[in-house]
Amino acid sequence: MLLGHLKSPWSRRKRKNTLLPRQWRTLFTIEGRLRDGGLKFLKKVRSGGIHPNIRAEVWPYLLGVYDLKSSKEERDAIRTQNRKEYEKLRRQCRRLLKQYHRSSGSRQFSGGFIQNEHSSSSEEVESARESLSSCERSPDDGIMDDSTSIYLEGDSRSRRITNADDSALNTDSSDTDSSEDAEVNRASSASDGREYDESDVLTKGEISPSLNNGIPSPVRNTEDFSTWQRIIRVDAVRANCEWIPYSYSQATVSATRACRSAEAVGLGDYDNLEPYRIFHAARLVAILEAYALYDPEIGYCQGMSDLLSPIVAIITEDHEAFWCFVGFMRKARHNFRLDEVGIRRQLKTVSRIIKFKDSHLYRHLQKLQADDCFFVYRMVVVLFRRELTFEQTMCLWEVMWADQAAVRIGVGKSAWSRMRQRAPPTNDLLLYAIAASVLQRRKLIIEKYNSMDEILRECTSMEGQLDVWKLLDDAHDLVVTLHNKIESSL
């Protein structure tokens, strides 16, 4: 039976199941708690996503910022504490940046920093790239991914290219805010070296243990942080404008406010950008820098700005957007480890889904030495962000987050069966969707493609050609038929 013709509730459901604002209000008790522990809420999101008007309210629940059983008072307390912790991280960002530029002899000028006349910004960054991406690091070095590269396209499975050319790296600048915090601890942050486990939901303490006491985890050293800042700034100013229809307040920001935001984070060389793009870039810089301190094992890697951009567009408060991003990265952070253990596990899962669903297609991939499914590397790393439109991305992520939230609170298969939705929640819905996108092109791949590179080019040209709800239907059909088999095989 061909994919898309499986008889399951997911194939028959209507598209009018979007969680609407009036429905969202009815899901709460008088104490401000979600009814039935959030089960009906998750079911609704899984069925049809979320209405744009309430995304800013709903996303923190899906991403674990708020417990699904929390009361209004508990959420208010969490919000206050989160704001304080984010502000501490931002103060430490400023301290580290000032410390680095004092030690490197840079001089402050017009809200930015000018390098010494004998130093080459591009050479420094290239050297840092090589240092950060070296596979010969000792475990104590703590940087777990190439900070400047993400697999985008190429002629072989080993080719990795960067979006940021060296000349563009001269646009970096530094935060000149004078706020001070406790003395910066430059101790190394060590990787725990444990095996990747997608089902492991990391808490704030597990990523950055000292944050439980309101103290940021120490960055490895100021040079690493400066390197992350440079790359963050390059990626931030290059962010596209797809988000504009979803954030009127940010799209209509004044030039004065945009420039103030840029100056607050030391973002320079933005004269050619419109105010809304300056403002968006400044918010990306602030939050990504804070995350680099929060999770110094990962720091910043290219591709993370793609994941943050939709969150920043929807969530207008930086501290709330930051903690939503932290919740998102509890799963996605494994995509940015240098050892690529998480990526390899996910590619292996995609390969097995295809193998169990379509043995003919799988044998063809074996013949082309593409059965490791490396051609979907980009889809895995940035979670379909480059293949889907902005709206489609949010729809897919919302359904994926609902699945992850259901797993997080321990919702079992039987609970969904009672609601006539047989597809059990899974942390791997994204991987089933990726496999579905390949299976939808099975005929083309088998009949016309004779190399892995040709399949890779097909996958990188999917942008704007996918129907996200058909993709999710097919993904859930695959979960219905293969979930138990995949879980046992892994």
Side-chain angles (χ1 to χ4, degrees), residues 89-113:
L89 286 166
R90 285 300 309 150
R91 287 196 293 272
Q92 191 175 4
C93 287
R94 294 189 282 267
R95 275 291 295 246
L96 279 169
L97 192 57
K98 290 174 66 178
Q99 180 175 334
Y100 171 75
H101 283 289
R102 282 197 299 266
S103 64
S104 65
S106 300
R107 63 185 181 87
Q108 188 173 343
F109 180 75
S110 300
F113 281 85

Side-chain angles (χ1 to χ4, degrees), residues 201-454:
V201 179
L202 298 174
T203 65
K204 284 192 282 186
E206 288 172 322
I207 295 179
S208 186
S210 61
L211 272 173
N212 287 332
N213 299 320
I215 303 170
S217 178
V219 71
R220 196 163 67 89
N221 58 51
T222 52
E223 288 76 15
D224 286 339
F225 186 67
S226 179
T227 298
W228 295 334
Q229 286 182 312
R230 291 169 179 164
I231 304 165
I232 286 170
R233 281 161 171 74
V234 172
D235 288 350
V237 298
R238 293 183 174 186
N240 62 43
C241 304
E242 288 181 289
W243 56 270
I244 292 175
Y246 305 92
S247 186
Y248 178 78
S249 62
Q250 295 184 63
T252 57
V253 67
S254 68
T256 300
R257 185 182 179 192
C259 291
R260 285 177 181 172
S261 298
E263 290 172 3
V265 297
L267 181 64
D269 293 339
Y270 52 75
D271 292 342
N272 62 322
L273 299 181
E274 299 87 347
Y276 60 84
R277 291 191 62 189
I278 297 171
F279 186 68
H280 187 72
R283 294 192 66 204
L284 289 175
V285 169
I287 295 169
L288 290 169
E289 283 183 350
Y291 186 82
L293 284 187
Y294 178 85
D295 188 0
E297 179 191 0
I298 301 300
Y300 177 75
C301 303
Q302 194 176 50
M304 288 167 61
S305 60
D306 287 306
L307 304 186
L308 175 60
S309 187
I311 294 175
V312 167
I314 299 301
I315 311 293
T316 57
E317 293 290 333
D318 281 8
H319 71 278
E320 293 181 351
F322 171 78
W323 289 109
C324 283
F325 186 61
V326 168
F328 192 2
M329 289 294 288
R330 285 184 183 129
K331 292 299 180 185
R333 71 188 296 272
H334 298 286
N335 293 350
F336 300 98
R337 292 177 52 138
L338 180 61
D339 59 16
E340 298 194 335
V341 172
I343 294 293
R344 289 198 299 271
R345 189 208 73 88
Q346 293 176 87
L347 293 177
K348 182 178 181 181
T349 299
V350 173
S351 176
R352 293 198 175 197
I353 294 171
I354 294 172
K355 178 181 180 180
F356 292 147
K357 175 59 186 174
D358 193 326
S359 59
H360 186 191
L361 173 60
Y362 184 77
R363 285 194 299 270
H364 183 69
L365 294 178
Q366 281 184 312
K367 179 182 176 182
L368 304 183
Q369 296 185 328
D371 53 302
D372 59 3
C373 290
F374 196 78
F375 51 86
V376 300
Y377 187 104
R378 186 179 75 174
M379 296 182 193
V380 172
V381 173
V382 289
L383 292 83
F384 262 124
R385 182 67 191 89
R386 306 279 178 87
E387 287 71 35
L388 299 174
T389 66
F390 196 86
E391 174 65 25
Q392 288 177 327
T393 297
M394 291 189 288
C395 290
L396 184 142
W397 285 1
E398 286 164 356
V399 176
M400 178 184 72
W401 292 340
D403 257 32
Q404 293 173 354
V407 173
R408 189 165 63 242
I409 65 175
V411 175
K413 184 176 180 179
S414 59
W416 294 110
S417 297
R418 289 195 295 272
M419 293 186 290
R420 299 180 182 178
Q421 292 185 333
R422 296 191 293 118
T426 171
N427 278 319
D428 288 335
L429 181 61
L430 172 78
L431 306 183
Y432 286 92
I434 291 173
S437 71
V438 176
L439 288 161
Q440 287 175 357
R441 288 159 173 73
R442 67 177 302 277
K443 184 176 181 181
L444 184 66
I445 292 172
I446 292 173
E447 294 182 358
K448 293 189 177 181
Y449 294 155
N450 296 306
S451 71
M452 197 276 283
D453 292 340
E454 291 179 319

